[in-house]
Amino acid sequence: MNLRPYSESYPVQNPRISYRELQLETIDLEPEFFEKATLLSRHSNTEAEQWQIYLNTLALFALEKWLSDRQLTLSSQTYSLLRTQVLNLEAVSPLNVEQFKLCLIARENLGNQTLEIPEKMIDSPEFAAHFYLLMRVVLEEQQAVFIGFFRYDQLDGRNLKQTDTGNYELSLSELNPEASHLGLNLKYLDSTAIQLPKNELAQQSFERLTQWLENIYAADWQPVEQLLANRPPLVPFCSPINFRTRNLSSQKTIEKSLKTLQMSGALGHQNPGDLSQAELSDVLVELLQTTNNEETRWQAAEFLWEINPNHPAVGVRRAIDLGMQLSGVPVALMVAILPKPDQRIAILLRVYPLQGFLPTNLKLIGLDELGQSLFEVRAREQDDYIQFKFTADPGDQFSVQVMLNDATVTEYFIV
């Protein structure tokens, strides 16, 4: 879709502002708003999405201008918000203003005098807001019109009508059209007066994974080598290697791992058998810092844990004994984190038996901050471990459950 400069005409179904809208507050749209909206809309591939991004961006800049005129500010820079939240398309939420969360809804035309809001924007703790603000972007007039707002607590006890697409439907007549009332609420109301749905993880004690990179751990999280010291070596984890005294089983494990890396091209033309321990360590560190292949990075990390576990490039791994909480079943949960070049964090979760094999049907389950399932891995007969790998952003919250029959242990994390 090729968006035209703001000064040209746009195909608007109803270009005139209604009589009711003439009584509403308007915000003039500056030329640079249109330029930035055009640039940002190109991040999407479909015409419909590009157009909604364009409208969302203009409305967000208009809101920032409106707030500034009232000595109120968004807690984040507008342009950083645009690159993350405006692409949501359905609405821009949550926007933090002072102690409040706002949900901004931008429309070009108001159609049949009703407003559809995606269900998650009201029910989800991630998106629910204290105030929902509707703006109409009138391109021909180069203005955004403040149509009205409503408070989240006004929905309590109301049977919201749901459409066939799962959205909630409100009549525009239910919105408060007085922009000054919103400004007064933002300045003088206590946010605790409007109760939002609570995050499932909000009251839990989190283990902060990025603190592990600073050697800060809760007492229960032990070094892997210490907790798993009495169990037999496993592929690919085993006790630290002494190249001169390692046993045949460890040697075969190492050679197999190296062969896998060599076959994938990760070691280039170098023959792993010809490398000294120090040279191999350098090769693996370089691989960690340059490859874009996640499996190769984890292979390199795990092998580096074998030969140089204290190297600063190798990330961190810790384990916790869950036996006392899981009906006495001797298992441990290991969490390993590996920083990525793009500032994200690669995470590896493993459940180990401390004796023998894992019980059949033991489950490793990941949940998001809303308590929704992200993954589930089930142990089979004679499994040495079960695992799951994923990537997260700083600030992401999740929980991990280890479940066996009626017993469940849950650990909570924030990246």
Side-chain angles (χ1 to χ4, degrees):
M1 171 179 172
N2 296 317
L3 295 173
R4 295 178 293 277
Y6 79 96
S7 57
E8 297 183 18
S9 61
Y10 285 84
V12 185
Q13 295 178 14
N14 181 13
R16 295 184 178 276
I17 300 177
S18 68
Y19 174 78
R20 178 176 180 271
E21 289 181 58
L22 287 174
Q23 315 305 312
L24 301 175
E25 189 162 338
T26 61
I27 304 103
D28 290 333
L29 299 173
E30 307 294 338
E32 59 265 28
F33 297 175
F34 293 89
E35 295 170 5
K36 292 177 180 178
T38 300
L39 289 172
L40 191 70
S41 67
R42 293 172 181 167
H43 287 275
S44 184
N45 295 323
T46 69
E47 184 173 342
E49 288 183 354
Q50 284 185 359
W51 189 250
Q52 189 58 54
I53 291 171
Y54 187 72
L55 296 176
N56 287 354
T57 304
L58 292 173
L60 183 54
F61 277 119
L63 173 62
E64 183 183 44
K65 183 178 179 180
W66 183 85
L67 290 169
S68 178
D69 289 343
R70 287 152 184 80
Q71 290 74 53
L72 294 164
T73 58
L74 293 170
S75 61
S76 300
Q77 292 294 319
T78 305
Y79 201 70
S80 66
L81 289 169
L82 291 175
R83 292 195 171 278
T84 54
Q85 288 157 293
V86 90
L87 298 180
N88 192 322
L89 298 181
E90 301 154 311
V92 188
S93 181
L95 295 169
N96 295 309
V97 179
E98 307 302 322
Q99 55 187 317
F100 295 98
K101 293 166 65 178
L102 266 64
C103 176
L104 174 62
I105 304 164
R107 296 290 184 267
E108 181 186 8
N109 299 294
L110 301 181
N112 58 1
Q113 298 301 304
T114 60
L115 173 65
E116 286 193 17
I117 305 175
E119 181 181 5
K120 68 179 181 180
M121 294 295 169
I122 292 177
D123 294 339
S124 165
E126 181 180 2
F127 295 105
H130 296 93
F131 299 102
Y132 294 77
L133 168 61
L134 173 62
M135 281 191 179
R136 181 184 172 201
V137 179
V138 187
L139 296 168
E140 193 167 89
E141 303 293 332
Q142 300 167 28
Q143 290 179 334
V145 183
F146 187 111
I147 300 299
F149 74 99
F150 67 89
R151 293 168 38 149
Y152 182 87
D153 56 353
Q154 292 174 339
L155 301 175
D156 286 350
R158 178 183 298 175
N159 293 320
L160 292 173
K161 180 182 177 181
Q162 280 194 300
T163 66
D164 294 338
T165 57
N167 295 333
Y168 287 131
E169 187 175 81
L170 288 173
S171 170
L172 296 186
S173 63
E174 298 181 70
L175 301 183
N176 183 340
E178 294 293 337
S180 61
H181 291 181
L182 177 59
L184 290 171
N185 275 305
L186 293 174
K187 281 191 172 183
Y188 302 114
L189 184 69
D190 190 325
S191 62
T192 59
I194 304 176
Q195 295 296 318
L196 298 180
K198 295 187 181 299
N199 189 316
E200 288 285 333
L201 306 184
Q203 306 303 316
Q204 305 301 332
S205 176
F206 288 91
E207 186 66 17
R208 293 186 171 271
L209 294 181
T210 50
Q211 288 188 345
W212 287 13
L213 300 172
E214 303 171 11
N215 296 317
I216 301 173
Y217 317 96
D220 291 341
W221 290 93
Q222 305 174 47
V224 172
E225 298 85 356
Q226 177 181 322
L227 186 57
L228 305 182
N230 296 324
R231 55 166 287 125
L234 291 176
V235 179
F237 286 94
C238 37
S239 55
I241 299 168
N242 180 316
F243 269 44
R244 294 186 177 180
T245 61
R246 65 188 183 214
N247 61 37
L248 184 60
S249 175
S250 294
Q251 182 176 350
K252 289 182 177 179
T253 297
I254 293 168
E255 290 174 350
K256 183 177 179 180
S257 298
L258 283 174
K259 190 67 175 177
T260 301
L261 284 172
Q262 186 183 34
M263 291 176 64
S264 71
L267 298 180
H269 299 295
Q270 300 177 83
N271 183 351
D274 296 335
L275 299 176
S276 68
Q277 183 173 353
E279 290 172 333
L280 184 56
S281 177
D282 290 342
V283 169
L284 293 171
V285 170
E286 182 179 358
L287 190 59
L288 280 171
Q289 296 172 343
T290 57
T291 183
N292 293 321
N293 186 295
E294 279 301 289
E295 280 303 312
T296 299
R297 291 186 84 242
W298 278 116
Q299 286 178 7
E302 292 184 292
F303 190 49
L304 191 55
W305 280 327
E306 295 279 359
I307 64 174
N308 193 356
N310 296 319
H311 196 287
V314 80
V316 183
R317 54 178 180 152
R318 288 269 156 161
I320 187 171
D321 187 344
L322 301 180
M324 293 296 292
Q325 306 172 63
L326 202 66
S327 302
V329 178
V331 298
L333 170 65
M334 188 211 75
V335 179
I337 61 173
L338 192 61
K340 300 180 63 173
D342 61 1
Q343 309 305 312
R344 305 186 77 199
I345 302 293
I347 299 172
L348 168 63
L349 306 173
R350 273 206 183 124
V351 179
Y352 286 106
L354 295 177
Q355 300 172 9
F357 298 102
L358 286 174
T360 305
N361 291 327
L362 179 141
K363 299 176 184 177
L364 172 65
I365 301 170
L367 306 172
D368 66 14
E369 61 184 16
L370 305 181
Q372 302 297 313
S373 178
L374 296 171
F375 61 85
E376 179 178 313
V377 184
R378 189 187 301 258
R380 300 163 298 184
E381 188 175 355
Q382 295 192 334
D383 267 344
D384 285 333
Y385 61 82
I386 54 176
Q387 68 176 17
F388 192 82
K389 302 171 185 174
F390 62 101
T391 300
D393 294 305
D396 283 350
Q397 299 174 9
F398 66 96
S399 60
V400 177
Q401 291 183 343
V402 179
M403 183 182 300
L404 181 63
N405 301 325
D406 295 330
T408 303
V409 180
T410 305
E411 297 289 335
Y412 298 89
F413 302 92
I414 182 169
V415 179

